[in-house]
Amino acid sequence: MFSNNTVRREIRIAGHHAGKPVTITPQADPIYRELVKLARRGNYWAVLTVNGIHQLAAGRLHQNNIFVKPDAVHRDGMEEFVVILPGCRVTAEKRPDGSYRVLYMQADLNYSELMEKAEKPGLYEVSKRSDGWNARRRKNGKISEEKNRLVAITDSKYDQPRDAAEVAAQRIAEAPRADGSLLEDNGFDMHFTPGKKRIGGLINYRDGVRPLDNAKLHESALLLAKTMYDARKIQGVSWIAEFGGSGVLTQALKILADQGVRLKDHYAFLVRPRTSPNEAVKAAHAVGLKLTRKFSQTHMLDYIGNRDQLELIINRLRNEKNYKLLQAITDMVEHGKSLQGAGAFMGSLAAVAGLSASAPAPAAAAAFLTALGAAVGGAATIGKLGKNMTEAWLPDKYYRIKSKF
């Protein structure tokens, strides 16, 4: 009260002419200004962040949005919440009159440098070379403007994008619209998500069955959603998620659906999804994606990929004109056979590995498979288990071996 410094007033940053006013506190304003500067220089992640803040004015950021942290704090009529954006966490509050105020911002202004080092999610152009597959980052976050372009959405736990590209090339080749020869000639685009562990799966059961709640994927999903939005007018694009990449794709589709975006001439496919394929298919329907006869390809031991297949089949029957009752019945029968085969196979694996296998419940299944993986350590044991074991429990090794033949 005794200072001669003028008290800075809150500054309106959005909603000047339409929508709800959005103001920002003096503490958060310097970071916001730096982000605006980066956005004006063409930095696309900064553009996403600034636009995300401005969307408060349009009322588009609400608790149903995937990148708004739930459990908002309510006090004195104010609703405080956190918006998760690429390289930035924004704490804001909604006032009783519907206006918004940005309270705090935590931004990593070196985000571009981290993307260059592949320490943050990004889009890569993948091409075939004599020594394998090469991945080069696309700085603008946009895919090649080619008809029927293939885009892989990868799992995490790859040392570098090139490793992800080597595996993704093998896996997306199994998608219905992927032609092996054209894949090698034209290459593909790849959305890469760095991380120290796989996404979803039985070990990460909760993240697997509730992919929309996994806040660790929000940053990557928002970047993918922007890539998909920019590609919406390119004909016949196929978005193919491999393993845990299904979680990133599911969130990206939900973000687009919340914004009312439609991808009418695009396709989606899941290769051995480690997150709920039913959540993915619901999100795909919401943005109008086309689905081929098969929406996902799973191994009989992919518990997460198989657990809600019946719900997925019912959803497809209700929402897709080209998916007929006979096809649904056929898929249900095939799913039943797969479950029977998985039960018998688990018993065989346990016998070979020297374990006792009563049918494990979902909560105990992760522990069972972890113990099984520890027991299967020797080459002789792997030899007894053969192709199915290697493909199910050691998929990366399986695809590396497969790529050499």
Side-chain angles (χ1 to χ4, degrees), residues 1-16:
M1 62 184 294
F2 300 106
S3 172
N4 291 323
N5 295 329
T6 302
V7 177
R8 292 184 61 193
R9 299 178 60 184
E10 294 178 1
I11 304 166
R12 182 177 293 195
I13 58 174
H16 295 281

Side-chain angles (χ1 to χ4, degrees), residues 319-376:
N319 292 282
E320 298 174 36
K321 294 181 180 180
N322 295 328
Y323 190 73
K324 305 301 182 183
L325 179 61
L326 181 59
Q327 294 172 329
I329 293 173
T330 301
D331 289 345
M332 288 181 182
V333 172
E334 289 182 358
H335 178 58
K337 289 180 179 179
S338 176
L339 293 179
Q340 293 173 3
F345 188 46
M346 288 290 281
S348 300
L349 293 182
V352 172
L355 297 174
S356 172
S358 56
F368 172 79
L369 289 177
T370 300
L372 181 62
V376 182

Side-chain angles (χ1 to χ4, degrees), residues 11 28 42 78 84 88 92 118 141 165 234 239 296 323 328 338 347 391:
I11 304 166
M78 307 291 189
I84 302 171
C88 187
I234 303 175
W239 306 94
S296 65
Y323 190 73
S338 176
E391 184 179 3

Side-chain angles (χ1 to χ4, degrees), residues 37-55:
K37 289 179 183 177
L38 289 172
R40 287 173 177 168
R41 294 173 192 160
N43 189 308
Y44 85 97
W45 73 264
V47 171
L48 276 177
T49 301
V50 172
N51 286 346
I53 295 170
H54 287 182
Q55 283 179 1

Side-chain angles (χ1 to χ4, degrees), residues 150 167-180 183 240-243 269-272 292 294-299 302 387 391 395 398-399 402:
L150 301 178
V167 176
Q170 296 294 318
R171 291 178 177 169
I172 69 172
E174 300 177 13
R177 289 172 51 81
D179 183 295
L183 189 64
I240 307 170
E242 62 98 4
F243 284 58
F269 187 77
L270 311 180
V271 179
R272 295 189 61 182
T292 56
K294 294 291 184 181
F295 175 64
S296 65
Q297 174 255 320
T298 61
H299 189 279
D302 293 337
K387 173 180 175 293
E391 184 179 3
Y398 170 78
Y399 280 99
K402 182 180 176 182

Side-chain angles (χ1 to χ4, degrees), residues 13-154:
I13 58 174
H16 295 281
H17 307 293
K20 298 294 184 179
V22 179
T23 60
I24 191 168
T25 62
Q27 293 81 6
D29 186 57
I31 296 176
Y32 169 76
R33 298 298 166 189
E34 288 300 318
L35 287 172
V36 170
K37 289 179 183 177
L38 289 172
R40 287 173 177 168
R41 294 173 192 160
N43 189 308
Y44 85 97
W45 73 264
V47 171
L48 276 177
T49 301
V50 172
N51 286 346
I53 295 170
H54 287 182
Q55 283 179 1
L56 289 168
R60 291 178 182 172
L61 292 186
H62 48 75
Q63 292 304 307
N64 292 329
N65 279 108
I66 193 66
F67 43 90
V68 175
K69 188 176 180 180
D71 303 323
V73 177
H74 296 266
R75 56 170 176 255
D76 300 327
M78 307 291 189
E79 180 182 354
E80 187 175 308
F81 57 94
V82 176
V83 183
I84 302 171
L85 299 165
C88 187
R89 290 170 63 89
V90 180
T91 302
E93 68 178 9
K94 184 176 182 180
R95 297 175 170 181
D97 62 359
S99 65
Y100 292 87
R101 179 170 66 162
V102 176
L103 302 174
Y104 315 106
M105 292 184 68
Q106 295 173 283
D108 189 343
L109 300 179
N110 295 319
Y111 196 82
S112 293
E113 287 76 6
L114 295 176
M115 293 181 81
E116 287 284 357
K117 298 176 183 178
E119 295 178 11
K120 291 294 182 180
L123 185 71
Y124 291 79
E125 178 186 10
V126 179
S127 55
K128 186 67 182 292
R129 302 288 178 85
S130 58
D131 59 343
W133 292 87
N134 182 61
R136 182 175 63 88
R137 192 169 78 87
R138 290 189 180 276
K139 295 183 179 181
N140 63 0
K142 297 182 180 181
I143 70 170
S144 294
E145 295 188 12
E146 299 176 3
K147 181 179 178 181
N148 300 326
R149 185 66 172 173
L150 301 178
V151 185
I153 299 98
T154 71

